[in-house]
Amino acid sequence: MQYVAVFITVVLWFGIVISPTLIGAILGVLLGQGSGFIELGVTLGASVGFIVGISWSEKIRNTTGLINFWSSLVSARDSKN
């Protein structure tokens, strides 16, 4: 049963890390197109985004908790009955 808990934690952790990585890669494409270095822009942008994502995910894991963070994102507070 512990394997399942570790797997869920890893998936939630990577879910937080991937969003700044994708944003950095997209910004790298946009900035790289102007200078002609798209590959370099994507690599640098994704690297910076990955580092930011790691620090953000670790901050969330140590303060709020990964499950509490994701449950607050997914919960539908504005639904009307």
Side-chain angles (χ1 to χ4, degrees):
M1 197 59 148
Q2 179 139 4
Y3 294 118
V4 175
V6 169
F7 177 74
I8 291 172
T9 303
V10 168
V11 168
L12 293 176
W13 190 85
F14 274 114
I16 296 171
V17 170
I18 198 71
S19 62
T21 305
L22 290 175
I23 292 170
I26 291 169
L27 287 175
V29 167
L30 295 176
L31 295 175
Q33 277 182 333
S35 63
F37 297 110
I38 295 176
E39 294 87 6
L40 181 63
V42 170
T43 304
L44 289 176
S47 299
V48 170
F50 188 72
I51 292 169
V52 169
I54 288 173
S55 64
W56 185 34
S57 184
E58 283 298 309
K59 181 180 177 186
I60 290 170
R61 186 181 65 84
N62 290 328
T63 57
T64 307
L66 294 171
I67 293 175
N68 289 335
F69 176 76
W70 277 103
S71 66
S72 68
L73 289 178
V74 175
S75 65
R77 294 183 187 151
D78 58 350
S79 63
K80 297 182 181 181
N81 295 334

